[in-house]
Amino acid sequence: YFLWGSMPDDELLLSCRKPDFLQPESLLAQVDRLLKHPRGSDFVKDFASQWLDLLDINFTEPDRKLYRDFDFVVQNAMLEETHRFLQWLLDQNAPVNKLLNAEQTFLNSRLARYYGIDGVEGDQMKLVRVDKQSHRGGLLTHGSILKVTANGTNTSPVLRGVWVSERLLGISVPPPPENVPAVEPDIRGAKTIREQLQLHLSHAECKGCHAKMDPPGYALENFDAAGRWRKYYPVVSRGKSKNGALIDSSGVFADGEAFSDFEDFRRGVVGKPLPIAKNFAEKLITYGTGSEISFSDREELDRLLDRAAEDEFGMRSILNQLILSSIFLTK
């Protein structure tokens, strides 16, 4: 059910009747078999749909006046980029921080052209090494992620910050107080969203939460609502778009450490892999068992991560250790 989302096949049913089935070697042999099967790719797609909110990819459609080159061909390529990237990391048992700072991604000519990357030919998705100038590599740069964390017209550091905090960094963000009005992004040139948020923070009760959730959102402001890199906020006048205010993607982490831009933010995050690994393990546990992490699970979760740390928090190692854990086997 965890890896295929369906009934066990005949081989698994026969294996589970054997007395040694719950031994680590037997369990992991079945995991290998299930993931190598053609149906094994469904695991990555289904898990990503829930973990990364990719099931909401069609919820908004970018404004065609602002994002003329975006279409559903590009969107489908974005989804395939993310699915293939996650599958590749899992197959490689890549360290979990590669989720954010990989130097490779999957592109075809259409998506590469959309991202502004030269030298990629053909309609088939292929593994491509990207340079720093492209600002690509890692989930935070995938068009699929950038699209589901925006509203189709503009971006919000708050919405993206909450998403990155909860989906990738394992930082829980409480809901806003009922008596505080929401901040709506305004990119028409009067004020930047950063300036509006600074006014919003005059509410003392808002500062604590925004100190946690805004920095990742600020770091991603150079990516527009359709997943492209930009240096300026757009201003639309008479059906045409022109450059508005210069984007400031700097910020300060909750611990007081400053970052200057997106690349600096990413370096700061991946330098501390344990929170990323813990969050990935928790999301796998929730998906695999249908239950949230409880207080009684914490000790076993720590042991799981200690064992995975021996492989530099390899993503496949975390998955394997979860399946061998009492959390998975007894819930």
Side-chain angles (χ1 to χ4, degrees):
Y1 290 111
F2 181 23
L3 301 180
W4 279 7
S6 67
M7 290 286 291
D9 63 356
D10 291 340
E11 183 172 343
L12 186 57
L13 287 172
L14 288 172
S15 296
C16 73
R17 296 189 179 101
K18 298 178 181 179
D20 65 343
F21 177 69
L22 291 180
Q23 294 300 312
E25 295 81 4
S26 298
L27 283 173
L28 295 184
Q30 289 297 324
V31 172
D32 284 339
R33 183 182 70 83
L34 294 174
L35 288 179
K36 288 177 181 177
H37 191 279
R39 293 170 65 184
S41 61
D42 292 342
F43 163 68
V44 166
K45 294 177 182 178
D46 293 343
F47 176 52
S49 291
Q50 297 188 37
W51 169 35
L52 303 177
D53 292 328
L54 295 184
L55 73 169
D56 294 330
I57 191 72
N58 291 317
F59 188 72
T60 61
E61 183 177 351
D63 187 333
R64 297 306 297 270
K65 294 180 180 178
L66 291 173
Y67 313 110
R68 298 180 186 276
D69 293 333
F70 180 87
D71 56 30
F72 284 103
V73 174
V74 169
Q75 177 174 294
N76 289 336
M78 289 174 171
L79 276 175
E80 191 172 356
E81 175 191 19
T82 303
H83 292 153
R84 284 178 174 257
F85 176 71
L86 291 173
Q87 186 71 61
W88 178 68
L89 292 181
L90 195 64
D91 292 343
Q92 298 286 322
N93 194 26
V96 73
N97 58 11
K98 289 295 182 182
L99 284 166
L100 305 183
N101 74 333
E103 297 177 346
Q104 301 87 1
T105 193
F106 284 81
L107 301 172
N108 60 13
S109 59
R110 182 71 177 88
L111 186 58
R113 188 165 65 251
Y114 183 80
Y115 286 163
I117 297 174
D118 298 325
V120 179
E121 303 294 336
D123 295 332
Q124 299 301 314
M125 301 293 286
K126 62 188 71 175
L127 184 65
V128 175
R129 188 176 184 87
V130 292
D131 56 35
K132 291 184 178 179
Q133 286 69 34
S134 71
H135 306 290
R136 300 294 165 176
L139 288 177
L140 293 179
T141 73
H142 285 200
S144 60
I145 302 300
L146 297 163
K147 183 176 184 292
V148 299
T149 56
N151 68 5
T153 302
N154 47 40
T155 60
S156 165
V158 176
L159 296 180
R160 279 183 171 170
V162 170
W163 189 94
V164 173
S165 297
E166 295 186 337
R167 298 295 175 179
L168 297 177
L169 305 182
I171 300 172
S172 179
V173 179
E178 294 183 0
N179 62 333
V180 178
V183 177
E184 293 297 331
D186 181 356
I187 57 173
R188 294 170 297 179
K191 289 187 176 71
T192 67
I193 184 62
R194 180 184 286 267
E195 291 172 344
Q196 292 187 45
L197 280 172
Q198 292 306 311
L199 293 175
H200 178 71
L201 295 183
S202 61
H203 296 272
E205 61 269 35
C206 299
K207 289 184 178 180
C209 291
H210 280 274
K212 295 180 180 179
M213 64 188 180
D214 289 356
Y218 286 140
L220 292 177
E221 276 293 272
N222 280 115
F223 293 100
D224 66 24
R228 274 183 160 175
W229 182 265
R230 62 187 180 180
K231 292 183 179 180
Y232 303 91
Y233 288 110
V235 177
V236 179
S237 177
R238 297 179 180 178
K240 295 184 178 181
S241 177
K242 62 180 181 179
N243 291 338
L246 181 68
I247 293 171
D248 178 3
S249 58
S250 65
V252 180
F253 289 109
D255 62 4
E257 182 181 356
F259 60 87
S260 58
D261 54 21
F262 169 69
E263 297 295 345
D264 201 21
F265 167 81
R266 186 162 56 172
R267 282 191 293 269
V269 170
V270 301
K272 302 171 183 177
L274 179 57
I276 304 172
K278 185 176 181 181
N279 174 75
F280 181 64
E282 290 183 352
K283 295 298 187 288
L284 279 173
I285 290 170
T286 301
Y287 177 81
T289 66
S291 301
E292 296 288 342
I293 296 292
S294 64
F295 179 79
S296 61
D297 297 326
R298 295 295 172 184
E299 188 173 343
E300 178 68 2
L301 175 60
D302 290 341
R303 285 195 293 266
L304 181 162
L305 291 170
D306 286 342
R307 292 190 291 268
E310 298 174 6
D311 290 329
E312 298 183 326
F313 296 117
M315 291 175 58
R316 179 62 183 273
S317 295
I318 293 174
L319 174 63
N320 286 346
Q321 292 302 326
L322 163 61
I323 289 174
L324 297 177
S325 71
S326 62
I327 298 175
F328 182 77
L329 294 176
T330 62
K331 270 197 173 183

